[in-house]
């Protein structure tokens, strides 16, 4: 049996042909699943539509490879492409089973599968075990095994059934798929990742799974679990020695959510004498100055903080569990430790006004943040923020779900009581330009470069904002 895993584009396929990614990464999640399938002697191949977004190319791959199952991995903004591509495949190859996984499955399975009949199965959350069991079930022709696969959604007599997910993978059993690593150098060049980290190769690696926090705009509900630090550092060392990787990004939702785990990992990096640099995502309430200094010593170059807003009422709406003091202290201490910072900002939360957004912009500028990714707040079906908007009469549930599925998510009236959608788009660009086109900022960025290659990247990246925006994609 052959299985084809596909990373789905986040923009329309036509747009993706010309897209320069602000935050490009290898499809590490699909590599983990491919490795799990290979361990069961299942023939598997990955097709990355971030590199070639043309559906015709995908169909050529399918015609040559002849998979029995196609598994789509998609981010939230890939809802519409998942449905479109599944339909294209089913039209020509109705016998192929189509499986969908990834963050796009935050949406209720019934909604996705009732809207798109070309989807045969949906897997919620981690796919290594569930997807492997599903493939083996299809291979053996034993559909009676489907009810035992946790987190799986499928049809019985035309009705969508979703199995409960009660157990989660022990991260100690997971190992980075070293043999599958690809450097993606050409694709990464020109992205904000290489601007921050320098020349590729850059490897994305996990030190933990899940998240212990429950932000209302996010659909991640898997429990936080750490991987053994010794295994993680062994993987860093192998990638470094085998492929010459000196730069890493920890793909965890919150790298320092368990500070003791983060400290142990940093100390092991130092003990092994690894000369590497790395970046990570974490929260402003999960860092301290001593921890940040240790992270810097162990090679941390950039921290990505989910700040979202500097207004407490917005933070409370998002259920962030943080406050403005935490934010300011974290940025100040990060700078003191000699680490650069990136701020994720969400603009136009329900109730936010133009004045609040511009005040956020001003605060972002004066804090000394090194990089910023700003995007308009979106209501994704399957999140608490979406349900709150429905309950408060901001949107109709059916209309909102159709907007998510069709790719028209920006048509939902999240901010119509204070700002129109087009006003929000103008403000989004204004905030980004006010951040990156300050004379002091440009000078600071140029003075911080370490070689001519980095200088070229800084100039190129700043010039991009004269013609387009940079936004955060979940």
């Amino acid at each position: 049996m052959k299985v084809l895993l596909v990373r789905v584009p986040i923009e329309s396929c036509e747009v993706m042909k010309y897209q320069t990614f602000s935050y490009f990464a290898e499809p590490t999640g699909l590599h983990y699943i491919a490795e799990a399938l290979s361990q069961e002697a299942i023939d598997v191949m990955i097709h990355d539509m971030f590199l070639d977004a043309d559906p015709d190319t995908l169909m050529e791959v399918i015609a040559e490879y002849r998979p029995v199952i196609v598994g789509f991995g998609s981010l939230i903004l890939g809802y519409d492409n998942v449905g479109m591509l599944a339909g294209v495949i089913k039209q020509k190859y109705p016998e192929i089973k189509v499986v969908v996984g990834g963050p796009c499955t935050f949406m209720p399975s019934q909604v996705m599968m009732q809207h798109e009949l070309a989807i045969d199965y949906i897997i919620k959350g981690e796919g290594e075990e569930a997807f492997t069991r599903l493939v083996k079930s299809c291979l053996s022709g034993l559909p009676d095994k489907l009810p035992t696969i946790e987190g799986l959604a499928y049809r019985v007599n035309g009705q969508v059934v979703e199995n409960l997910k009660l157990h989660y993978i022990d991260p100690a059993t997971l190992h980075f798929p070293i043999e599958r690593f690809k450097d993606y150098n050409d694709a990464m060049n020109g992205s904000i990742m290489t601007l921050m980290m320098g020349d590729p190769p850059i490897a994305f690696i996990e030190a933990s799974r899940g998240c212990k926090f429950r932000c209302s705009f996010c659909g991640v509900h898997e429990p936080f679990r750490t991987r053994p630090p010794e295994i993680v550092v062994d993987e860093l060392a192998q990638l470094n020695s085998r492929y010459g990787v000196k730069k890493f990004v920890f793909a965890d939702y919150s790298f320092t959510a368990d500070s003791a785990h983060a400290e142990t990992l940093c100390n092991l990096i130092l003990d092994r004498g690894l000369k590497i640099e790395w970046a990570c995502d974490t929260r402003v309430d999960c860092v301290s100055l001593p921890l940040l200094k240790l992270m810097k010593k162990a090679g941390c170059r950039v921290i990505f903080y989910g700040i979202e807003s500097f207004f407490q009422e917005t933070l409370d709406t998002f259920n962030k569990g943080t406050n403005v003091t935490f934010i300011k202290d974290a940025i100040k201490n990060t700078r003191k430790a000699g680490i650069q910072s990136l701020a994720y900002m969400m603009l136009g939360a329900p109730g936010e006004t133009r004045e609040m957004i511009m005040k956020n912009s001003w605060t972002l500028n004066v804090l000394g943040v090194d990089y910023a990714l700003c995007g308009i707040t979106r209501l994704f079906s399957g999140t608490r923020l979406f349900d709150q908007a429905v309950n408060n009469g901001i949107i109709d549930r059916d209309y909102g779900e159709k907007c998510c599925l069709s790719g028209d998510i920006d048509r939902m009236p999240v901010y119509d009581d204070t700002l129109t959608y087009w006003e929000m788009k103008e403000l989004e660009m204004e905030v980004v330009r006010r951040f990156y086109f300050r004379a002091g900022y440009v000078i600071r960025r140029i003075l911080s470069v370490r070689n001519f290659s980095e200088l070229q990247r800084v100039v190129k990246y700043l010039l991009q904002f004269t013609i387009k925006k940079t936004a955060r994609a979940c």
Side-chain angles (χ1 to χ4, degrees):
M1 174 179 284
K2 292 182 177 180
V3 176
L4 179 65
L5 301 177
V6 180
R7 178 156 70 161
V8 177
I10 58 174
E11 301 280 3
S12 70
C13 290
E14 188 62 32
V15 170
M16 287 287 284
K17 293 178 185 179
Y18 310 101
Q19 178 77 9
T20 298
F21 301 101
S22 63
Y23 193 108
F24 188 88
E26 61 178 306
T28 308
L30 292 185
H31 286 316
Y32 273 102
I33 294 174
E35 188 67 21
L37 293 172
S38 295
Q39 294 299 318
E40 297 294 330
I42 296 168
D43 192 343
V44 59
M45 174 181 174
I46 294 176
H47 178 64
D48 190 351
M49 293 188 72
F50 272 41
L51 301 180
D52 185 345
D54 193 337
D56 290 339
T57 304
L58 171 62
M59 296 307 290
E60 290 171 4
V61 170
I62 291 174
E64 181 177 348
Y65 185 59
R66 304 299 294 184
V68 176
I69 295 176
V70 172
F72 287 124
S74 175
L75 299 174
I76 295 176
L77 293 179
Y79 280 143
D80 53 333
N81 284 328
V82 167
M84 180 273 292
L85 293 170
V88 170
I89 291 173
K90 282 290 190 179
Q91 185 174 13
K92 188 169 184 179
Y93 302 104
E95 72 281 4
I96 289 180
K97 298 297 183 184
V98 174
V99 186
V100 179
C104 76
T105 63
F106 291 170
M107 175 175 282
S109 299
Q110 287 201 357
V111 174
M112 291 185 72
M113 296 183 74
Q114 287 172 355
H115 179 271
E116 187 49 73
L117 298 179
I119 297 174
D120 295 295
Y121 304 102
I122 288 176
I123 294 177
K124 297 274 190 177
E126 299 165 314
E128 290 91 347
E129 291 181 355
F131 194 89
T132 302
R133 292 191 63 196
L134 173 61
V135 172
K136 292 172 70 176
S137 175
C138 293
L139 178 64
S140 63
L142 296 174
D144 58 313
K145 297 292 185 181
L146 297 182
T148 68
I149 303 175
E150 293 188 5
L152 178 69
Y154 54 101
R155 294 185 182 87
V156 177
N157 298 324
Q159 300 298 311
V160 178
V161 176
E162 184 173 333
N163 300 335
L164 292 176
K165 189 169 183 64
L166 302 173
H167 303 91
Y168 298 89
I169 294 174
D170 177 2
T173 65
L174 296 171
H175 294 274
F176 187 94
I178 300 289
E179 302 293 339
R180 299 180 182 278
F181 174 74
K182 296 180 180 180
D183 55 40
Y184 279 79
N185 288 9
D186 292 339
M188 280 191 182
N189 274 318
S191 74
I192 193 174
M193 191 57 67
T194 54
L195 173 67
M196 295 184 293
M197 296 297 294
D199 293 327
I202 302 171
F204 290 71
I205 193 167
E206 295 181 334
S208 65
R209 283 273 176 105
C211 184
K212 63 172 65 174
F213 306 99
R214 293 294 177 266
C215 300
S216 65
F217 53 80
C218 181
V220 176
H221 299 301
E222 296 181 356
F224 177 75
R225 293 145 293 152
T226 57
R227 299 184 64 216
E230 296 80 9
I231 293 178
V232 177
V233 176
D234 281 344
E235 293 169 351
L236 295 172
Q238 288 184 61
L239 287 164
N240 178 252
S241 61
R242 186 177 302 190
Y243 300 106
V245 181
K246 298 180 180 180
K247 300 179 177 68
F248 298 86
V249 176
F250 287 102
D252 311 39
Y253 289 109
S254 300
F255 177 77
T256 61
D258 182 336
S259 59
H261 178 265
E263 289 174 10
T264 301
L265 201 152
C266 288
N267 284 322
L268 285 172
I269 291 173
L270 293 169
D271 291 343
R272 293 283 293 268
L274 291 178
K275 304 301 181 183
I276 61 174
E277 290 187 312
W278 47 275
C280 66
D281 279 85
T282 196
R283 288 169 53 97
V284 295
D285 55 346
C286 293
V287 293
S288 64
L289 185 55
L291 176 58
L292 289 165
K293 288 181 176 180
L294 176 61
M295 291 168 65
K296 171 64 176 179
K297 191 176 179 182
C300 182
R301 180 168 177 174
V302 188
I303 296 178
F304 316 138
Y305 288 113
I307 289 175
E308 324 308 357
S309 174
F310 297 105
F311 283 91
Q312 192 61 48
E313 52 265 48
T314 301
L315 296 175
D316 293 342
T317 295
F318 289 156
N319 196 40
K320 287 291 294 185
T322 58
N323 60 50
V324 179
T325 299
F326 284 152
I327 296 172
K328 293 181 177 179
D329 287 347
I331 298 301
K332 178 181 67 176
N333 288 333
T334 302
R335 193 167 59 250
K336 277 185 179 180
I339 300 173
Q340 294 184 346
S341 58
L342 177 146
Y344 294 125
M345 299 295 295
M346 295 180 65
L347 312 178
E352 275 197 351
T353 63
R354 175 185 294 273
E355 290 71 28
M356 293 172 70
I357 292 171
M358 296 315 298
K359 179 67 180 298
N360 272 334
S361 175
W362 179 84
T363 306
L364 183 67
N365 293 352
V366 300
L367 278 183
V369 173
D370 296 282
Y371 307 96
L373 290 180
C374 304
I376 298 176
T377 300
R378 293 180 169 104
L379 299 177
F380 293 114
S381 176
T383 66
R384 192 185 308 178
L385 193 64
F386 180 92
D387 291 337
Q388 289 172 347
V390 171
N391 295 335
N392 293 334
I394 295 175
I395 59 169
D396 173 76
R397 182 177 295 278
D398 289 342
Y399 176 73
E401 289 171 348
K402 289 177 181 177
C403 286
C404 288
L405 288 163
S406 66
D408 293 330
I409 191 168
D410 287 336
R411 293 188 182 182
M412 284 188 276
V414 184
Y415 11 73
D416 275 2
D417 56 339
T418 54
L419 296 160
T420 67
Y421 168 70
W422 292 111
E423 286 175 324
M424 277 302 310
K425 295 297 288 185
E426 291 175 3
L427 280 170
E428 180 184 25
M429 179 59 82
E430 181 67 17
V431 170
V432 171
R433 285 183 171 163
R434 281 178 180 241
F435 181 83
Y436 283 104
F437 280 93
R438 292 171 287 139
Y441 177 82
V442 173
I443 292 170
R444 181 157 57 95
R445 283 275 63 78
I446 292 175
L447 291 177
S448 69
V449 300
R450 299 184 292 187
N451 53 52
F452 182 69
S453 176
E454 286 191 17
L455 178 61
Q456 286 181 307
R457 283 200 183 87
V458 169
V459 173
K460 180 179 178 181
Y461 193 73
L462 290 172
L463 288 175
Q464 287 180 8
F465 290 108
T466 64
I467 56 174
K468 67 178 185 177
K469 67 179 179 62
T470 297
R472 179 185 185 184
C474 299

